[in-house]
Amino acid sequence: MFGFNKSADSAFQNLTPAKFAEGLRQPDAVLVDVRRPEEFAQGHLPGAVNIEVTAPDFAQRVASLDKEAPTYVYCRSGARSASAAGQLTQAGFANVSNLLGGVLDWTEPLTTK
């Protein structure tokens, strides 16, 4: 259903902001902001959990997530989240999507709550 921009060498999907937002409407979707905590505090997508991809405990923290749930990751520009998406798929996550362009290309309001 959301298989756009999935390359042959990538196990995750790269989605435009519109398609990413569409995917987030799934009731069991998990949204992960992989930026640093201070970036997250300045504004993030509503409902996101912050698990910094460069933190030493990233693998340990994502292990607590449901590997079968559609998992959506994003960062500032899409580079760190692409790395995180690769790590998640290698860890056995079945359905991972990366936000192309990150929050820089996100057009909907961010929240600080």
Side-chain angles (χ1 to χ4, degrees):
M1 177 172 173
F2 297 105
F4 354 88
N5 297 322
K6 187 171 185 176
S7 66
D9 61 343
S10 170
F12 60 87
Q13 303 169 48
N14 288 306
L15 301 180
T16 64
K19 296 297 181 187
F20 195 87
E22 184 181 330
L24 288 177
R25 288 195 273 277
Q26 297 176 84
D28 56 344
V30 174
L31 178 60
V32 182
D33 182 322
V34 299
R35 298 176 298 162
R36 293 186 312 271
E38 52 272 17
E39 293 176 280
F40 182 82
Q42 292 174 357
H44 55 271
L45 276 61
V49 295
N50 184 215
I51 304 177
E52 181 185 0
V53 68
T54 58
D57 64 346
F58 177 76
Q60 183 180 17
R61 292 188 62 202
V62 296
S64 66
L65 301 176
D66 180 358
K67 290 184 178 181
E68 298 303 317
T71 305
Y72 293 83
V73 297
Y74 72 93
C75 63
R76 181 177 179 272
S77 66
R80 284 177 284 176
S81 55
S83 171
Q87 292 180 52
L88 290 171
T89 55
Q90 287 181 347
F93 282 75
N95 186 359
V96 180
S97 298
N98 175 45
L99 174 60
L100 287 172
V103 293
L104 292 176
D105 287 350
W106 187 253
T107 58
E108 297 180 30
L110 300 177
T111 184
T112 55
K113 296 179 183 176

